Amino acid sequence: MSQQANPRGTFLKIADSVRKQIEDDPTMTELPSLAEVMRGYKVSRGVALRAFGVLRQEGVAEPAPGERWRVVRSGTRIDRRPLDQRIADIITADGIEVGEAFPSASALADRFGVSRPTVTKALEKLETAGVLAGGGQGRVRTVRAVPTREERS
């Protein structure tokens, strides 16, 4: 008789494995993507999500909208504000003046560790709010207005 993996508890084994990775690597800040877990353990998306759910219940990881799941470590402060607010902070942090070019979606995706479509949605929100101008395929975005404290928080 051939051996088959027992579907009950598979997600617990995956959670244990990922937890061990977190413990072994103190610099790890994100969990592997769901696709990586699905490929690596040959499981469905549902099983991978259940494993991540276990890590969430244990306080080891948390979901991040538009990003990969984050590792939660005690004493570590994480900026949980929406991406558009964090991107708006670049204007003041990098000293970008009104009328100057704003970093590209690709550069922002690398900087924040998210996908370009996620950055594009955040940039569209900033354009709608009147903080950025331009944008679109092949067009450089410029700063239209420096966001006020209320717009950033």
Side-chain angles (χ1 to χ4, degrees):
M1 183 178 348
S2 67
Q3 283 189 330
Q4 290 184 336
N6 182 354
R8 294 172 83 63
T10 302
F11 69 98
L12 294 173
K13 292 175 186 173
I14 295 169
D16 288 342
S17 175
V18 173
R19 188 182 319 96
K20 180 152 177 39
Q21 288 176 16
I22 293 168
E23 291 167 359
D24 291 346
D25 183 2
T27 62
M28 185 176 185
T29 58
E30 298 178 330
L31 297 186
S33 70
L34 284 174
E36 291 168 345
V37 171
M38 291 165 55
R39 258 192 322 271
Y41 294 95
K42 296 180 177 46
V43 295
S44 68
R45 181 176 175 84
V47 172
L49 281 170
R50 285 185 75 186
F52 283 12
V54 168
L55 296 172
R56 182 182 192 178
Q57 283 181 317
E58 294 173 352
V60 175
E62 66 182 5
E67 302 177 36
R68 286 186 173 190
W69 281 60
R70 292 187 274 241
V71 174
V72 176
R73 299 191 191 273
S74 61
T76 305
R77 190 171 187 280
I78 298 172
D79 190 352
R80 290 181 171 82
R81 294 177 301 148
L83 184 59
D84 60 302
Q85 291 176 10
R86 292 185 284 152
I87 289 175
D89 283 347
I90 291 175
I91 296 169
T92 53
D94 291 1
I96 302 172
E97 300 290 329
V98 173
E100 289 184 10
F102 197 72
S104 69
S106 296
L108 293 169
D110 290 342
R111 185 170 178 168
F112 290 99
V114 297
S115 68
R116 276 190 23 229
T118 300
V119 170
T120 301
K121 287 179 187 176
L123 291 171
E124 288 170 355
K125 286 183 180 180
L126 293 172
E127 287 176 12
T128 302
V131 174
L132 297 177
Q137 193 168 11
R139 293 179 29 211
V140 176
R141 283 184 180 82
T142 57
V143 175
R144 180 182 282 175
V146 176
T148 61
R149 185 94 174 119
E150 294 79 41
E151 290 172 334
R152 288 187 287 158
S153 53

